[in-house]
Amino acid sequence: VYHDPSCLRSSTEAESARPGSTSVTPATVEPRESVRGGLTVTVTFVTDATDTPAASGNRAAESKPPSRYLTFNRDDWAMLRAATPLTLREPELAQLKGINEEIDLEEVTKIYLPLSRLLNLYVSATQNLHKVSATFLGAMKPKVPYVIGVAGSVAVGKSTFARILQALLAQWPDHPQVDLITTDGFLRPNRVLEERGIMHRKGFPESYDTRELIRVMREIKSGRRNVEAPVYSHVVYDIVDGERIVIDQPDIVILEGLNVLQSGDQGADFVSDYFDFSIYIDGDEHDVEQWYVDRFLALRESVFKNPDSFFRFYADLTDEEAVDTAREIWRSINGLNLRENILPTRDRASLI
């Protein structure tokens, strides 16, 4: 997905309802730094302005080969917030955080609000395009949601990112209904994985019912009402029989998952074909592995103690045993999946 400068030029009126709003510079959008637990995550925005320097004053970028990405430092990106108000408060943010996640309102203000503003412009422009198309065709078209894909490794913070983005986007008056779907619901049931001998590959591309996921995305993007999707439980580590979530023509759909940007021999359609915008949550593998270990230790003291937990047997591990177990899981499963299947899709994203 490439950034179309004319899209922003034609849609700045979408912000006119916001007091003190200003127009956006058409050619650039994309941050460099987002702090998570004191660490830096590179953020990059796709653009077709391939000869534009990464940021104002960064002349070194002019000597580099042309790139479809623009890079902003944290402060330059934060300025793109303009007059976008902070609508989250600490208690609400605490409810959105995942286990062992470190994020505060300052990061929401500097990193998420500019992105919320950008996406509001895109959604508004797309909504206008649908109206123009309907006028041209002389017919009323069904309401079609704007779809955002969020990809990245296990433990990199995708779920927290998606929940915060959902909460912020729902505050804009033109798109108050924002639904969130996770690809966990499209994992094949444990019994199927065991029958196929790939239980140890859970989370790898072959463990998903990709056809069902594409069917759901096709129905959502065609404007169909009451589209049902399966539900996954992280406690029992399996699909919940008989439970479904319903997506009924929301304004925006966020699809979050490990492999949503993947392409390959899956047939004519890819999941990402149904995205209007895509985001890859990146991180140095060494850091992400440590985040995974920290989360594993936190889960050992909480969710794993639940009698219904699939991982109940981990609750009794000593600290040393828990760390060794987590690192082995990372080495043999999550890290391998990251390197083989997830990281190679990074450059397919609109924003990193």
Side-chain angles (χ1 to χ4, degrees):
V1 181
Y2 289 87
H3 166 52
D4 179 4
S6 64
C7 173
L8 289 184
R9 277 198 293 268
S10 66
S11 61
T12 51
E13 65 270 15
E15 295 189 311
S16 61
R18 295 287 183 186
S21 62
T22 58
S23 61
V24 67
T25 304
T28 62
V29 179
E30 168 217 70
R32 179 68 176 166
E33 300 176 28
S34 166
V35 176
R36 179 175 182 270
L39 298 171
T40 298
V41 179
T42 299
V43 185
T44 308
F45 181 68
V46 175
T47 177
D48 57 2
T50 55
D51 297 324
T52 305
S56 59
N58 186 2
R59 298 304 174 191
E62 295 179 336
S63 61
K64 295 180 180 180
S67 170
R68 67 195 188 104
Y69 288 104
L70 293 177
T71 302
F72 284 64
N73 64 40
R74 185 181 180 87
D75 291 337
D76 288 342
W77 175 250
M79 289 178 63
L80 296 176
R81 168 197 176 185
T84 307
L86 177 61
T87 54
L88 284 180
R89 298 295 179 262
E90 284 288 359
E92 297 166 321
L93 181 59
Q95 293 295 318
L96 298 172
K97 291 181 185 179
I99 291 178
N100 219 45
E101 296 281 353
E102 297 181 21
I103 185 170
D104 55 25
L105 288 178
E106 180 183 0
E107 181 167 351
V108 172
T109 300
K110 290 187 174 182
I111 302 302
Y112 288 78
L113 289 188
L115 179 57
S116 172
R117 179 188 177 215
L118 170 68
L119 288 171
N120 173 63
L121 292 170
Y122 270 76
V123 174
S124 298
T126 302
Q127 290 173 340
N128 289 335
L129 179 60
H130 289 163
K131 293 176 183 177
V132 171
S133 298
T135 300
F136 173 77
L137 295 171
M140 290 297 295
K141 296 186 66 178
K143 180 181 178 181
V144 178
Y146 189 91
V147 178
I148 302 168
V150 178
S153 170
V154 167
V156 81
K158 298 184 306 302
S159 297
T160 294
F161 175 89
R163 287 191 295 266
I164 294 174
L165 187 62
Q166 177 189 24
L168 292 174
L169 289 175
Q171 298 300 314
W172 292 90
D174 290 338
H175 41 80
Q177 186 180 350
V178 183
D179 285 0
L180 174 60
I181 306 172
T182 69
T183 58
D184 291 339
F186 297 91
L187 284 162
R188 298 186 185 277
N190 287 351
R191 59 176 176 76
V192 175
L193 298 179
E194 289 169 353
E195 289 170 0
R196 298 184 180 185
I198 56 172
M199 189 66 177
H200 65 292
R201 302 274 293 178
K202 192 166 186 175
F204 285 69
E206 63 269 27
S207 67
Y208 289 90
D209 188 346
T210 305
R211 288 186 179 180
E212 176 66 7
L213 176 55
I214 289 176
R215 180 196 66 78
V216 168
M217 295 308 299
R218 184 185 297 121
E219 291 187 357
I220 289 173
K221 206 59 180 164
S222 66
R224 182 167 296 183
R225 302 202 60 174
N226 299 316
V227 179
E228 293 188 353
V231 174
Y232 184 85
S233 168
H234 286 277
V235 174
V236 300
Y237 196 57
D238 203 354
I239 301 297
V240 180
D241 288 337
E243 264 194 58
R244 312 284 286 183
I245 61 170
V246 177
I247 300 93
D248 186 17
Q249 291 186 329
D251 301 297
I252 300 173
V253 170
I254 300 174
L255 178 67
E256 175 256 309
L258 299 173
N259 299 297
V260 296
L261 291 176
Q262 193 173 46
S263 60
D265 299 327
Q266 302 172 9
D269 293 350
F270 304 134
V271 175
S272 57
D273 290 343
Y274 298 93
F275 294 165
D276 296 289
F277 194 93
S278 55
I279 301 168
Y280 183 93
I281 308 299
D282 199 9
D284 182 87
E285 183 178 343
H286 175 77
D287 298 328
V288 181
E289 178 182 355
Q290 187 58 51
W291 293 338
Y292 176 75
V293 172
D294 293 343
R295 187 175 76 175
F296 188 92
L297 294 174
L299 289 170
R300 183 191 57 156
E301 298 300 322
S302 54
V303 177
F304 291 171
K305 291 186 176 181
N306 186 325
D308 295 326
S309 173
F310 182 86
F311 297 109
R312 177 66 184 83
F313 54 94
Y314 286 145
D316 298 325
L317 296 178
T318 65
D319 288 349
E320 183 178 358
E321 290 171 337
V323 170
D324 289 344
T325 300
R327 293 203 182 279
E328 174 58 23
I329 294 172
W330 180 268
R331 185 196 64 78
S332 61
I333 300 176
N334 296 323
L336 185 63
N337 195 16
L338 170 61
R339 292 186 296 274
E340 289 185 353
N341 302 301
I342 304 169
L343 185 59
T345 70
R346 178 179 59 186
D347 290 344
R348 301 189 70 234
S350 312
L351 187 76
I352 300 173

